[in-house]
Amino acid sequence: MILRIAFPTIAALLCLVIRTVSAQSCCESYCYNNDLERKQVQHFATKTAYEVIRVPDTDKQHIVPNCRPVKFWALNRHGTRLPSKGDVLNWPKQLKLLQDAILENYFTRRTLPDNGRMCEEDLELLRRWSWNPNITEQYESVLTTAGWDEVKYFAQRTKERYWEIFGPTYEPSKYHFRYTKTQRTEASFKAFVEGLFGTEESKRVQPEPATSPDRLLRPYDDCEDYQNNKAREERDENGEANKFLRTPVYTSAVWDISQRLGFRHNLSSEQIDAMWGICRFEQAWFLSRPSPFCAAFTEEQVRVLEYREDLEYYYSNSYGYEHAPNLACHVAADMLKHLEPVGEPTVVSYFAHDAAIQLLLAALGAKRDSVPLRADNYATMRNRQYTSSDVPFGSNIAAVKYQCTEPQEPVKVIFFLNEKPIMLDWCRVGLCNWSDVKRQYQRFREGNCDQLYCHGSGASGMRVSFALLLLISVQAVSWILRL
């Protein structure tokens, strides 16, 4: 995504002029290395580390008086991974050039701002930074040790909380697992079952094979309408994410970031993305070790960058794309199908990607704001419900079924997002009647997901159209031969 320099409004032009005049006093004073809280790490969008947003081990929100848990269903995102192929190929050189330029700005060119300079500790972190030579194209997107551990420990916490469901040992009839055809989801599955059953016993666990196409866990791959919408949002100058790049909020943030690092010109969008990207990955890999490139951003600038990504995801994987809820039809129907009966399996756990989590949240009607996210309402959406930081590495949606002593509505369900109850307005503080669950999601229980999930278009639609065309052609040939 390229940073647009042309500004459509007088306000934005005035902002640029004011910034140019006051370049030497641009920025907020901040030292990342010395900040022991670093609250902004909770706002790293989908590259947020799970450990910084999860509930504490002492949390008791899963306990429901006069009820016992009887079924557990979960959709999990893979744990922390390495960067994707394009980033692995481009970032080492790009980040090295930025590192050298920033240090030269501070110690040779002396173009640093009078106020808000990087502190000596952050500069020293940056000076000692180097790309890990073990991160090569061969290992792009693979699960890291941190990713393995966060999934494994989530499994251990889950088993401890719902020991009545999970039991002490692995019983094949009680469990159902599946993952997508990627190394990071397969490894996440293995970490999860190791957390449940231990190293040796986990080797006996046999997951359901992935399918191709995988409409349960990757429905977007097989939906032309979804792909067209995503491409349209990326290239449309008037799409909300692209419009946000031209707002005073965003252009001011880019200016301040650039000036604080000693540049007298705006850094490109690619340069900012590279620093923002490696900052988040390194912080997820090593929670207690400050990432040098995170020092490039103040807390408020992180919130601006988060909002930019929120807009991108909102209009492709959530409420900004009107067909997003139905794309999760297969997985939502699967959840309801497994929660419905009394018998086994009692534990179902799938391993997928951030898009699947966001689509299921939309299908559930969770985290929905009364006002849609737009390029022009950043300031008023500070406390918004929807944020892509709710879908960190290792994120999960769980539905837990409870059998209660209440005579009128004895069956309850709590939906959890990252181990926190999801507050739905038709439930009582997160506790939902099973009858209401079935009514709310009736279209997934009773509808034809193969037709519903992609709005009658996509690969399935194309295959139907081709089949129809073939049938008409055969009939036409037969009619001609009879003449």
Side-chain angles (χ1 to χ4, degrees):
M1 197 175 290
I2 306 299
L3 180 66
R4 279 79 176 175
I5 303 301
F7 302 108
T9 65
I10 295 176
L13 184 58
L14 284 173
C15 177
L16 178 61
V17 171
I18 292 169
R19 291 289 180 183
T20 303
V21 171
S22 59
Q24 294 303 308
S25 58
C26 72
C27 317
E28 172 191 350
S29 294
Y30 177 68
C31 188
Y32 188 74
N33 181 77
N34 296 342
D35 182 358
L36 299 181
E37 291 187 321
R38 297 185 193 127
K39 294 180 181 178
Q40 64 268 41
V41 301
Q42 299 177 6
H43 299 278
F44 280 0
T46 57
K47 305 301 186 296
T48 302
Y50 188 74
E51 285 299 304
V52 303
I53 60 92
R54 74 171 180 88
V55 298
D57 292 345
T58 55
D59 185 80
K60 303 296 183 186
Q61 296 182 81
H62 62 285
I63 298 175
V64 182
N66 302 313
C67 299
R68 61 183 180 86
V70 292
K71 285 209 168 185
F72 179 90
W73 183 97
L75 177 67
N76 310 275
R77 185 190 178 192
H78 58 80
T80 299
R81 60 171 174 84
L82 293 179
S84 57
K85 180 178 178 179
D87 295 332
V88 171
L89 292 175
N90 295 326
W91 281 359
K93 181 179 179 181
Q94 191 171 29
L95 291 169
K96 176 60 177 171
L97 289 172
L98 283 165
Q99 177 193 33
D100 291 345
I102 294 167
L103 294 174
E104 189 172 348
N105 289 344
Y106 266 74
F107 298 111
T108 303
R109 296 193 186 101
R110 308 295 296 175
T111 54
L112 58 165
D114 291 336
N115 299 316
R117 300 176 181 180
M118 294 179 70
C119 64
E120 292 182 6
E121 294 86 349
D122 285 348
L123 286 168
E124 180 60 20
L125 281 176
L126 184 62
R127 187 186 66 79
R128 290 189 279 113
W129 179 88
S130 63
W131 180 266
N132 184 340
N134 294 318
I135 301 176
T136 62
E137 181 182 351
Q138 177 185 359
Y139 299 108
E140 58 96 9
S141 297
V142 306
L143 194 75
T144 63
T145 300
W148 179 283
D149 289 343
E150 66 197 359
V151 175
K152 177 180 176 179
Y153 296 146
F154 167 61
Q156 291 176 347
R157 290 192 302 275
T158 301
K159 184 176 183 178
E160 184 176 343
R161 286 174 181 155
Y162 305 109
W163 61 270
E164 294 169 273
I165 302 176
F166 285 81
T169 58
Y170 173 61
E171 298 177 29
S173 61
K174 287 178 59 176
Y175 292 90
H176 181 71
F177 298 105
R178 179 167 157 178
Y179 50 82
T180 65
K181 290 183 176 180
T182 62
Q183 183 276 343
R184 57 193 180 276
T185 54
E186 180 180 358
S188 294
F189 151 75
K190 291 178 179 177
F192 189 84
V193 295
E194 182 177 293
L196 292 182
F197 311 117
T199 305
E200 291 305 316
E201 192 170 11
S202 65
K203 295 175 183 177
R204 297 199 298 118
V205 180
Q206 296 297 317
E208 176 192 0
T211 62
S212 184
D214 190 346
R215 293 180 183 174
L216 180 70
L217 301 182
R218 297 186 66 122
Y220 41 87
D221 285 347
D222 194 42
C223 181
E224 184 183 21
D225 188 76
Y226 172 89
Q227 300 296 340
N228 289 342
N229 174 73
K230 190 172 182 178
R232 185 166 54 248
E233 287 296 323
E234 289 176 354
R235 67 174 180 265
D236 184 3
E237 292 289 325
N238 292 316
E240 295 299 322
N242 284 333
K243 283 197 296 184
F244 186 64
L245 298 180
R246 305 192 296 271
T247 62
V249 169
Y250 189 80
T251 56
S252 294
V254 170
W255 179 262
D256 278 356
I257 292 167
S258 304
Q259 292 295 308
R260 187 164 175 270
L261 298 179
F263 295 99
R264 293 298 180 86
H265 60 273
N266 272 353
L267 290 170
S268 69
S269 184
E270 288 83 0
Q271 290 171 316
I272 295 223
D273 285 348
M275 294 189 295
W276 170 236
I278 196 61
C279 154
R280 295 182 292 169
F281 273 110
E282 289 184 339
Q283 208 58 78
W285 300 336
F286 310 107
L287 291 173
S288 60
R289 185 192 308 174
S291 170
F293 279 102
C294 287
F297 311 104
T298 64
E299 183 175 344
E300 181 57 33
Q301 290 160 0
V302 165
R303 299 294 289 266
V304 172
L305 295 174
E306 176 195 39
Y307 195 72
R308 184 196 69 182
E309 292 201 22
D310 283 359
L311 287 169
E312 293 172 358
Y313 286 117
Y314 185 82
Y315 287 93
S316 60
N317 296 340
S318 191
Y319 300 111
Y321 172 44
E322 63 177 326
H323 304 306
N326 287 345
L327 262 171
C329 183
H330 289 91
V331 75
D334 182 274
M335 174 188 70
L336 297 167
K337 179 188 75 174
H338 280 102
L339 292 177
E340 176 83 59
V342 176
E344 296 176 331
T346 53
V347 174
V348 176
S349 196
Y350 299 129
F351 299 86
H353 307 269
D354 62 288
I357 299 287
Q358 294 195 52
L359 292 170
L360 181 55
L361 284 173
L364 294 175
K367 298 287 182 175
R368 184 164 196 165
D369 296 280
S370 57
V371 176
L373 278 67
R374 301 191 308 269
D376 63 359
N377 65 357
Y378 167 77
T380 59
M381 299 299 284
R382 186 83 175 189
N383 298 316
R384 61 192 176 277
Q385 289 289 309
Y386 176 85
T387 170
S388 57
S389 297
D390 276 335
V391 189
F393 290 125
S395 54
N396 49 83
I397 298 173
V400 182
K401 183 179 179 181
Y402 291 83
Q403 188 68 44
C404 307
T405 57
E406 180 184 323
Q408 292 184 330
E409 292 280 358
V411 182
K412 311 284 187 183
V413 174
I414 300 181
F415 298 100
F416 293 89
L417 174 61
N418 304 327
E419 305 172 66
K420 304 170 190 173
I422 297 174
M423 297 300 153
L424 299 166
D425 55 16
W426 46 274
C427 302
R428 190 177 67 220
V429 198
L431 187 65
C432 311
N433 293 327
W434 175 240
S435 59
D436 293 334
V437 171
K438 292 190 290 185
R439 182 164 53 251
Q440 285 289 329
Y441 306 128
Q442 182 177 1
R443 73 183 190 278
F444 301 133
R445 293 177 62 241
E446 300 177 0
N448 183 336
C449 284
D450 283 341
Q451 295 178 359
L452 182 63
Y453 91 104
C454 193
H455 190 53
S457 66
S460 59
M462 289 189 287
R463 284 193 290 269
V464 170
S465 299
F466 178 77
L468 183 61
L469 180 63
L470 183 63
L471 178 62
I472 292 172
S473 300
V474 170
Q475 290 177 334
V477 170
S478 177
W479 180 76
I480 290 171
L481 291 175
R482 287 199 300 268
L483 291 178

